[in-house]
Structure formats: C-alpha cells, structure tokens
Amino acid sequence: MTTPTTNPGPEPNPRQLLKELQERFAVFRDCQPLAIGIDKQLQARVPGLDRKTLRVALAMHTHALRYLKTMSGATDRFDLDGQPSGEVTEAHRSHAAEMVKERRRKQADERKLQREEEEQARRTSEKLGRLVDKFGRKP
C-alpha cells in the first residue's frame, strides 16, 4: 500500500511575489497608497496566489519606509489600475507619520551606538598599544 505523494513545489517567496507585483502594477512600483481590500483585487486578478504569501508580501510593502512616507502625506488611495479608490484618513496619515518618525529615531540611535562602539574600540586599541610599548620585549 503506497499513497501517492504530491510535490507542491518550492514554497512561495513573499519577496519574489512583491517584486513581481512591483513589475506588474504601478501602484506597487510607485508606492502609492493602496486601496482597502487590495488583497481581494489581487486574488481576483492574479489566479493561484498563495494567500499567506500575499499577506506577507503586502505587509512588507506597507511597512516599507518609502510607502510610509508616501502615506503620511497622501489624501487618496489607489486600486491596481492606479484609479482613486477611497481616501486616506487622518488617522492613517498620522499613524504612518508616527511610524516614519519612530524609524528615523531608531536609525539615529543605532548610528549613535555604532559610533560609541567604534570610539570604545579605538580607545582600547590605543591603550593596548601603549601597554605593548611599555611592557613589550625589547630586542
């Protein structure tokens, strides 16, 4: 008794899907604010999309800094054809602006931490150099 096994093929890749969406639809390529329910439009327009992969790809797109910057100043949302499809609410604009501000703050903190670590490494290296000069073997 053997049961046939089906090989579903490689697991869908959200990054690859997002790249394909950017190539196919200008709203993704230009990071325009997406219409509410764009996932349903995509599933109707692109047969065979894996729902989970699509959700991950959309999350990656909508959390990108470029998209958030666009959202923070936008008034209209757009469908897959680039036609206006609703408006961006003030709550969505302010949320996007807050996320941009938070990202920039985190990036500044990371740069500051990196500079401090580099300065500490430089000081340690200088200190070790002085110790070697002082206590190192002399020929």
Side-chain angles (χ1 to χ4, degrees), residues 97-113:
E98 193 62 37
M99 288 183 75
V100 168
K101 196 183 304 181
E102 179 66 20
R103 279 271 175 89
R104 286 184 176 156
R105 187 192 60 74
K106 281 183 182 180
Q107 288 172 346
D109 289 347
E110 287 172 2
R111 285 191 302 270
K112 181 181 176 186
L113 182 62

Side-chain angles (χ1 to χ4, degrees), residues 62-78:
T62 58
H63 288 87
L65 188 58
R66 184 175 171 209
Y67 182 83
L68 292 170
K69 285 180 183 178
T70 302
M71 275 294 286
S72 65
T75 56
D76 293 322
R77 292 181 174 274
F78 298 92

